[in-house]
Amino acid sequence: MKKANRATKPELPRRSPCAVANTLDRIGDKWSLLLVRDMLAGKTTYGQFLESPEGIPTNILADRLKRLEQFGIIARSAYQERPVRYAYALTESGRQLGRVLRALADWGLENIAGTKKELVPGSFVR
Amino acid sequence: MKKANRATKPELPRRSPCAVANTLDRIGDKWSLLLVRDMLAGKTTYGQFLESPEGIPTNILADRLKRLEQFGIIARSAYQERPVRYAYALTESGRQLGRVLRALADWGLENIAGTKKELVPGSFVR
DNA sequence: CTAGTTACTTGCGTTTTGCAAGTGTCTCGT
DNA sequence: ACGAGACACTTGCAAAACGCAAGTAACTAG
């Protein structure tokens, strides 16, 4: 797994100047947007993310949190000392991904049988 | 690479009933939505997809076209016999992904410096 | 008969993913 | 003071996905 010190912006190799391509290079994988979904639903800690029904592996979770932080989509802060515990929260930039989430959810609801809108009621309803 | 006969619906293992998760399992990778973008911009052939600036590898392209067809997002049809040449086009379901593309493009434009809205003018403007 | 075009497939080395287990820090109960 | 437990990760390793280059198949045009 990639070794990168927390909170330093990585210069991603740019495939093209396309806004869609560049966005996908940041959040275009199977897990990143699920974490954003969870945060929009109010989750904030490592442990809470692990509880989601999709079952993200712990190493992937740690990696994605680091990436999202580096991209300025989320921010990490200690919510208590002794012992130190961290909370993750969406930045303004991250909150704006709500529109993407909503579009994805709407598409799934219309086009995939048996899918449900929310796991946590009231999270990203219109 | 996965061996699957064309146009048969694959039963994807369902990570959860969440609409977002299920949508991501279909199109949540670095290439699928770029193909949808290209089709919204009017591209239809294998050769045209290869011309896009991101430079998709040929085996990935063939695989993604097959997947998207299996999910009912695009449809393949021969646009000429002798020699047989194929055209790919979005289905109604695929066209509805335009909303996702627009959300992703808007986010990129606002949050990633140096990104541009379109490669082909008039493709998926509001 | 040779070259060119289109649409792929195949091989293979590299990277990413996923599962399980382990580590470090600190609290609490006895 | 000691052991169990919670939290937030890290490490090792096998399996899957990706990416590059080259090869194949079905024609057409010269």
Side-chain angles (χ1 to χ4, degrees), chain A residues 14-31 33-34 37 53-55 71 73 92-94 96-97 99-117 119 124 126, chain B residues 14-31 33-34 37 53-55 71 73 92-94 96-97 99-117 119 124 126:
Chain A
R14 196 161 285 215
R15 292 191 285 174
S16 83
C18 174
V20 176
N22 280 276
T23 301
L24 289 176
D25 284 342
R26 268 143 252 252
I27 50 151
D29 71 278
K30 273 174 37 188
W31 296 109
L33 284 176
L34 291 184
R37 172 203 67 183
E54 290 83 13
F71 293 135
I73 291 167
E92 175 51 30
S93 166
Q96 286 175 22
L97 284 171
R99 297 194 50 245
V100 175
L101 267 296
R102 237 166 283 132
L104 286 169
D106 288 348
W107 189 87
L109 288 169
E110 275 205 60
N111 297 282
I112 309 172
T115 55
K116 291 179 179 168
K117 179 134 197 159
L119 295 94
F124 53 84
R126 214 167 313 264
Chain B
R14 198 161 283 216
R15 293 191 285 173
S16 83
C18 173
V20 176
N22 280 276
T23 301
L24 289 176
D25 284 341
R26 269 143 251 253
I27 51 149
D29 71 277
K30 274 173 41 186
W31 295 109
L33 284 176
L34 291 185
R37 172 202 67 184
E54 290 84 12
F71 293 134
I73 292 168
E92 174 51 30
S93 166
Q96 285 175 21
L97 284 170
R99 295 193 52 243
V100 175
L101 266 297
R102 237 166 282 131
L104 286 169
D106 289 347
W107 189 87
L109 288 169
E110 275 206 61
N111 297 281
I112 309 172
T115 56
K116 290 179 181 171
K117 181 135 197 157
L119 296 95
F124 53 85
R126 215 168 310 265

